Amino acid sequence: MVAVWAAAFPVVSSLGPHRVWGASACVGYLCAAVAVLSWRSLGRAVSVWIAGIGAVLVPLVVLVLTGGAQSEVGVVERAGLLTVRQGTPYLADPQAVVEVTPYLPGMALFGLPGAVVADGWEPLRYLGDARLWCAAAFLGCLWAAGRVLGARARPRGTGQLVGAALIASPVVALPLAVSGVDLPLTGLLCLALALAARHRPVAAGLALALACSLKWTAWPALAVVAALLAHRAGLGAALRGTGVAVAGTVLAVLPSALLAPGPLVEQVFAFPTGRGEWETPAASPLPGRLLADLGPFGWYAAMTLLAAGGVAVAVSLWVRPPAGLVPAADRLAVGLCTAFLLAPAGRFGYLALPVLLSVWARLAEAPSRVAPARSRVVATGSAARPVLVGGDR
């Protein structure tokens, strides 16, 4: 099924990078299916690595070497160069839509390597591709989140296999190869949820601050992480985590807000919501976009529904706060889905973020689940009494 889905990209997609990914991923997924059917003992592990090679490694290398990428890769790389030259990633007077930077200043960090090697040795310039650094940040965050949660209950090597399978899946492989700019945000949100679930409010706040300085779509996570911390570690922990997150975000955004307040508001907030000078290319026929296309009344209707959806999620956090990692990830996923569906502009690809959050949380939480309680007879003097071990005492 996944191979068939990937095979559709070279046929129906108008984007060259997507066609390259689809052709390579289709072959990789087909070979992975053959491996599962051919080797009963090692087929599962072999198939995961084959799928990863076909869906991630090959298309990523080909696209990096040929310069094929979605437009946002160039936007991030230019943002890094502008930050080095003028201290802010925003052009005062963009002349085309590709010169608009719809991200918060933190995203420019992934363009800084490209700025450093821009005038260097030709082969070295490939290392400046923003996708490589976005992928490194994403994988590093998932690894750190796994360390925070622990993986004691799985057999040796199983956790790595599950992680590799997640990366080889289309929900990660496609954006990683063709764009990658949403992956650091996703990884940081996963890390923040994991830290909050393990009662580490300051560290969770730092991870949130990094995420919130990349894109404002991460801001709903503040409420979810605060609710999780309040339920698990108390109101004081929630306030500490939220305070660190807000302070860190302000510190990251403040320089650009002072140097270029007008361009920041216009490009980061007005442009993605369809109110900027340039029309956003994020024009998938989602409900909010269809409403906005009806005119000013439709735009305000979409924004009203979006605000109502946000209020509904906030009320749910107050009435029934998430008690653990999976409920918190699900609540954040619901909030993000609501935002992406009802926003005046959006893409179907944005929905990969909430899907990935929910799937990752279930895969990551499995190792730390406590084994079912079992009875053991312990002798104490002349009598013996049963005690429970491995479960709640």
Side-chain angles (χ1 to χ4, degrees), residues 13-111:
S13 179
S14 60
L15 301 175
H18 284 228
R19 293 196 295 269
V20 171
W21 178 84
S24 179
C26 176
V27 174
Y29 291 142
L30 284 175
C31 292
V34 171
V36 169
L37 297 174
S38 301
W39 296 291
R40 293 185 177 180
S41 58
L42 298 176
R44 183 174 299 178
V46 172
S47 69
V48 168
W49 295 111
I50 291 176
I53 292 171
V56 177
L57 183 60
V58 170
L60 179 60
V61 170
V62 169
L63 290 171
V64 168
L65 294 179
T66 60
Q70 289 185 196
S71 60
E72 50 262 40
V73 176
V75 170
V76 171
E77 292 173 356
R78 190 195 65 247
L81 188 61
L82 288 173
T83 300
V84 171
R85 291 178 176 175
Q86 63 182 30
T88 174
Y90 308 107
L91 287 173
D93 186 24
Q95 300 300 308
V97 67
V98 294
E99 295 183 354
V100 174
T101 303
Y103 310 117
L104 287 166
M107 190 67 79
L109 292 174
F110 300 102

Side-chain angles (χ1 to χ4, degrees), residues 182-193:
D182 285 328
L183 292 178
L185 173 67
T186 308
L188 285 167
L189 292 180
C190 292
L191 180 57
L193 289 170

Side-chain angles (χ1 to χ4, degrees), residues 25-288:
C26 176
V27 174
Y29 291 142
L30 284 175
C31 292
V34 171
V36 169
L37 297 174
S38 301
W39 296 291
R40 293 185 177 180
S41 58
L42 298 176
R44 183 174 299 178
V46 172
S47 69
V48 168
W49 295 111
I50 291 176
I53 292 171
V56 177
L57 183 60
V58 170
L60 179 60
V61 170
V62 169
L63 290 171
V64 168
L65 294 179
T66 60
Q70 289 185 196
S71 60
E72 50 262 40
V73 176
V75 170
V76 171
E77 292 173 356
R78 190 195 65 247
L81 188 61
L82 288 173
T83 300
V84 171
R85 291 178 176 175
Q86 63 182 30
T88 174
Y90 308 107
L91 287 173
D93 186 24
Q95 300 300 308
V97 67
V98 294
E99 295 183 354
V100 174
T101 303
Y103 310 117
L104 287 166
M107 190 67 79
L109 292 174
F110 300 102
L112 291 180
V116 171
V117 302
D119 299 323
W121 183 41
E122 182 68 29
L124 193 62
R125 294 182 190 177
Y126 294 120
L127 295 179
D129 194 295
R131 282 170 294 187
L132 301 178
W133 302 98
C134 289
F138 172 69
L139 296 176
C141 287
L142 289 192
W143 175 84
R147 296 283 293 180
V148 169
L149 295 171
R152 294 180 297 274
R154 276 188 181 146
R156 191 180 186 89
T158 304
Q160 291 85 341
L161 185 62
V162 171
L166 178 64
I167 295 167
S169 66
V171 73
V172 175
L174 174 59
L176 194 153
V178 304
S179 170
V181 297
D182 285 328
L183 292 178
L185 173 67
T186 308
L188 285 167
L189 292 180
C190 292
L191 180 57
L193 289 170
L195 289 165
R198 291 298 181 265
H199 310 169
R200 296 172 62 177
V202 174
L206 289 173
L208 270 183
L210 291 173
C212 291
S213 67
L214 300 180
K215 296 180 72 173
W216 58 267
T217 50
W219 292 358
L222 287 169
V224 176
V225 170
L228 177 59
L229 283 170
H231 184 82
R232 297 293 294 267
L235 182 59
L239 292 175
R240 287 197 303 275
T242 305
V244 170
V246 172
T249 303
V250 170
L251 288 175
V253 176
L254 187 59
S256 289
L258 295 176
L259 292 171
L264 187 151
V265 172
E266 176 71 18
Q267 298 179 40
V268 177
F269 298 100
F271 172 72
T273 57
R275 305 299 283 184
E277 179 182 354
W278 303 96
E279 183 177 356
T280 172
S284 296
L286 296 169

